């Protein structure tokens, strides 16, 4: 299998994983399944973000314990007068991110709201990167991702149409695992003022 076919397989498996998460009636059990599948893919898949040496010693991705209080349902309101952000993304060149919606419903728990971005270009997709005060101490310094629908990371919506933002499923960009990756990072405006002690954490924390 060549590298592009391997990448296709990786993305298909991630899409299937998130489909299973959305269909599960038990968020904590879905999170445990998410952890197990990702650990296996990071350990064995040729498109793993880990370098070969790191894979040989890999013991699993460290995560905070599941916290049901950080599974939040939010409404979205449109962004007025949106201006595109740009980010470097290695071989992909410049990635353009258009802010298209803001959350309503995170403030009480996390002290602020977040902006969702649309990755422009062919097909496009929703993207939710964020930072918080754990960055650089307990989590990757540049922030984490929660949604990236181009790559299958989509937690769905509730029966009443609110967006599911379960921060237990947050994870760092691939550049956290190896310098061979270049990733779009969370804009400064998407930094939360409170710690998000959920999701993947740094191995050294």
């Amino acid at each position: 299998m060549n590298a592009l076919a391997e990448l296709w397989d990786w993305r298909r498996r991630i899409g299937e994983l998130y489909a299973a998460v959305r269909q599960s009636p038990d968020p904590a059990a879905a999170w445990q399944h998410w952890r197990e599948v990702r650990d296996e893919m990071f350990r064995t898949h040729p498109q793993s973000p880990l370098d070969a040496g790191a894979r040989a010693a890999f013991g699993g991705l460290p995560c905070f314990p599941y916290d049901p209080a950080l599974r939040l349902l939010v409404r979205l309101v449109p962004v007025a007068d949106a201006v595109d952000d740009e980010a470097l993304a290695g071989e992909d060149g410049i990635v353009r991110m258009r802010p298209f919606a803001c959350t309503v419903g995170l403030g009480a728990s996390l002290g602020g709201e977040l902006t969702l971005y649309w990755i422009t270009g062919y097909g496009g997709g929703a993207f939710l990167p964020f930072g918080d005060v754990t960055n650089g101490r307990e989590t990757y310094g540049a922030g984490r991702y929660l949604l990236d629908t181009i790559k299958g990371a989509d937690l769905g919506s509730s029966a009443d149409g609110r967006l599911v933002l379960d921060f237990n499923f947050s994870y760092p960009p691939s550049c956290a695992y190896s310098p061979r990756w270049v990733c779009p990072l969370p804009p400064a405006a998407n930094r939360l003022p409170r710690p998000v002690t959920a999701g993947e954490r740094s191995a050294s924390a």
Side-chain angles (χ1 to χ4, degrees), residues 4 76 109 129-130 132-133:
L4 291 177
L76 298 179
S109 298
F130 73 96
D132 70 278
V133 297

Side-chain angles (χ1 to χ4, degrees), residues 69-91:
L70 288 172
R71 183 182 189 272
L72 302 167
L73 304 179
V74 302
R75 294 185 295 107
L76 298 179
V77 294
V79 172
D81 303 320
V83 176
D84 288 2
D85 266 319
E86 294 184 346
L88 293 174
E91 293 181 358

Side-chain angles (χ1 to χ4, degrees), residues 72-187:
L72 302 167
L73 304 179
V74 302
R75 294 185 295 107
L76 298 179
V77 294
V79 172
D81 303 320
V83 176
D84 288 2
D85 266 319
E86 294 184 346
L88 293 174
E91 293 181 358
D92 293 331
I94 297 292
V95 171
R96 289 181 171 80
M97 308 186 301
R98 180 167 301 153
F100 73 94
C102 289
T103 63
V104 177
L106 298 180
S109 298
L110 300 178
E113 303 294 341
L114 294 172
T115 298
L116 279 80
Y117 294 84
W118 190 262
I119 303 293
T120 63
Y122 180 73
F127 182 47
L128 180 53
F130 73 96
D132 70 278
V133 297
T134 67
N135 299 158
R137 296 181 299 182
E138 297 172 280
T139 62
Y140 181 56
R144 291 180 286 171
Y145 297 169
L146 185 53
L147 305 177
D148 187 357
T149 66
I150 289 178
K151 297 181 179 179
D154 182 351
L155 297 171
S157 57
S158 63
D160 63 3
R162 288 179 292 171
L163 185 68
V164 175
L165 295 183
D166 189 335
F167 286 86
N168 294 284
F169 291 85
S170 56
Y171 61 94
S174 296
C175 50
Y177 308 110
S178 169
R180 64 192 168 97
W181 304 104
V182 180
C183 310
L185 300 176

